[in-house]
Amino acid sequence: MVDYHAAGQPCQYGGNGPSSGGGLNDYMAQEDDWDRDLLLDPAWEKQQRKTFTAWCNSHLRKAGTQIENIDEDFRDGLKLMLLLEVISGERLPKPERGKMRVHKINNVNKALDFIASKGVKLVSIGAEEIVDGNTKMTLGMIWTIILRFAIQDISVEETSAKEGLLLWCQRKTAPYKNVNVQNFHISWKDGLAFNALIHRHRPELIEYDKLRKDDPVTNLNNAFEVAEKYLDIPKMLDAEDIVGTLRPDEKAIMTYVSCFYHAFSGAQKAETAANRICKVLAVNQENEHLMEDYEKLASDLLEWIKRTIPWLEDRVPQKTIQEMQQKLEDFRDYRRVHKPPKVQEKCQLEINFNTLQTKLRLSNRPAFMPSEGKMVSDINNGWQHLEQAEKGYEEWLLNEIRRLERLDHLAEKFRQKASIHESWTEGKEAMLRQKDYETATLSDIKALIRKHEAFESDLAAHQDRVEQIAAIAQELNELDYYDSPSVNARCQKICDQWDALGSLTHSRREALEKTEKQLETIDQLHLEYAKRAAPFNNWMESAMEDLQDMFIVHTIEEIEGLIAAHAQFKSTLPDADKEREAILGIQNEAQRIADYNNIKLPGNNPYTSVTPQIINSKWERVQQLVPKRDHALQDEQSKQQSNEHLRRQFASQANIVGPWIQTKMEEIGRISIEMNGTLEDQLNHLKQYEQSIVDYKPNIDLLEQQHQLIQEALIFDNKHTNYTMEHIRVGWEQLLTTIARTINEVENQILTRDAKGISQEQMQEFRASFNHFDKDHGGTLGPEEFKACLISLGYDVENDRQGDAEFNRIMSVVDPNNSGIVTFQAFIDFMSRETTDTDTADQVIASFKVLAGDKTFLPTLHIPKRCDVTWREKMEGSKDV
């Protein structure tokens, strides 16, 4: 090996490489950053050792050496540097031949520096690990070299490296069944992909159809043996290693497949060179054939042009249109049948000529020069002459045919237009002479006028057709048409008939307009009659409805309002009678005009169904209903006056009884609060008060009788009083109930006093306390009012937990039904229990001492629950007890 100098820039391990290696670095970030943990898998490590060793030897044998143990033979760096020189074709720095460790590290560093100079990022691979024989690092380094020098430069359809190699495999194996290359591990496990690659490039080496997917060992051995024998690809793996592994090592497979790629790409280059030579010879032969074809095709085309031009220049006209059409048909056959092949020949001739010249120029051959008179320009000149003659011939044929066709067309056009016009005028004279307007109504006349106007428009439109007929006849005469006499006679007849139609049209229009004017006057009168008769008829119908309408009133004011409205209605009857006479006068005027002009009017007015007979009939009915309405209103007025008297009578009595009851209720409430004297005195006073209330009962009975009369008269309201009988009854019942309840309360108080031994002063004190907190004077206390009362009496029911519990206990006593109120009787019962049959705490303590004697305790002591809570607390807290 010759000396060489270091190339490229140094690379820092673990950092980014040169920018020129960006693509590789991106890939190395994914692939070259190989998973070292996976190398610890014995199966994968074995596959990588075997594959990488075979790959290295396939290059080292070119230098006459090889390795046996991949992690031992590269430790001194010599064979590593040699391997890089072989695969790169470059010289590395001179190695150090010493046997010391430092010499080995320097040699390995030179190799690593060279790898880094190629834009490869070495991740965590140092010279010391290689020198120490670290298997993982050594395999990682070799895989990095394989990626850079065997896989990186692979490029297929704008993809490179691993993706390019994978795409190349997919493209090559796509036609083969049972082969689906998606990766570099599982897709190669059955061996069919290896065989497909060989068969695609060297089909004679593999009998692919005999391979079976379920025999992967045979398939792999077949591919490896053929590759080693015929393609110079060393056997890098054993079939059993691949089949016996769940997932073959991807790096081993990629290394093996890259050898196939480089082997077939080299063979393809040699084949390309051979094909290039054959292609040159084929091109020369093809050029000679093109020259011969051009000469023959040019001669035939020029000969055809010379024969065709005289035929196209023949301009002898024919006498009949059929003969001219035959010549035109011959010309069309020429255009459709004879000329298109020649156009194609001319186009192909130019294409062949241009193709030939291009091929000669591309192959650096002299340009082709056709024989004299057969140049492309000569052919184009002859073709241009042919097209000029063709264009002139076609124009001449068309002009002659147009001339003959125009004569035939004009004659046929004249006959068609004349027939259409004669068909249109048929019956028109009879229609214009009829006098159907003499017995028509106004609407009929208007319809006839519109129909006549439409006819006039149609007549004006046909004016152009008549003029066209005359113009065509004139043109046929100028062109000396053979049948001109018959054309002229028919044209004259059409013109005479046209003049007669114009005169009849004018006369009919005048008659229609005159009749229309007379009928419009009558129609205006009918319309005015209808406009005035309709509202008048509606007024009469409304009047009859109102006069017969049932009315229901409840007060004298309502009936007086109806009487006033009826009087106002009667005041409008004279004006209504005048309107009726005016409407009838309009109808009489219309009839007079019709009789004067001998016009037969239809039976009814077209604008209304209200006839004069209907108006007169309804007017008479209104006249009959007015006095009936008067009597009905007067009867109702008398009835309402009687009802008003009953209202006033009831109101007078109710306005006395109602306040009396209310006053008594207030007095009872005041008595119950302000009771003075003994309970017996209060009871006697209340009973006397009760008797005075009972003595008032006749007044209530009188009011009931008056109310009965009001109900019989169906009187439902009374504006003279706010009291109803129901109010009076409820108040009376409440009054009796209240006085009875008050008397009962006093009686219960007497019983309570006598039973509990409560003094009169205590009772008055309880009453005073209760009344003080009864703010609304309703005779009951609410929970808050009752609590305030208890506090005022010395009970500890403040707003704390113990006070609330005590208050709830008391409430359960005075209000067992949870009604939310405390009556005075319940209050008296509670207070009587609290103030009677009790002893003081000192008295109870003294009693205990008597029972205990000299002892300080009693054997059994039970305090009854009915004892006062405060006293129980005092006793339980006493030292003596």
Side-chain angles (χ1 to χ4, degrees), residues 276-294:
R276 185 177 294 111
I277 296 174
C278 296
K279 183 178 180 181
V280 171
L281 295 175
V283 168
N284 289 336
Q285 292 178 353
E286 184 179 359
N287 291 341
E288 292 178 1
H289 287 303
L290 288 175
M291 293 177 188
E292 294 175 359
D293 292 342
Y294 177 86

Side-chain angles (χ1 to χ4, degrees), residues 104-118:
K104 297 178 181 181
I105 291 174
N106 290 338
N107 289 338
V108 174
N109 274 331
K110 290 177 182 180
L112 295 179
D113 289 344
F114 179 78
I115 296 172
S117 70
K118 297 303 179 180

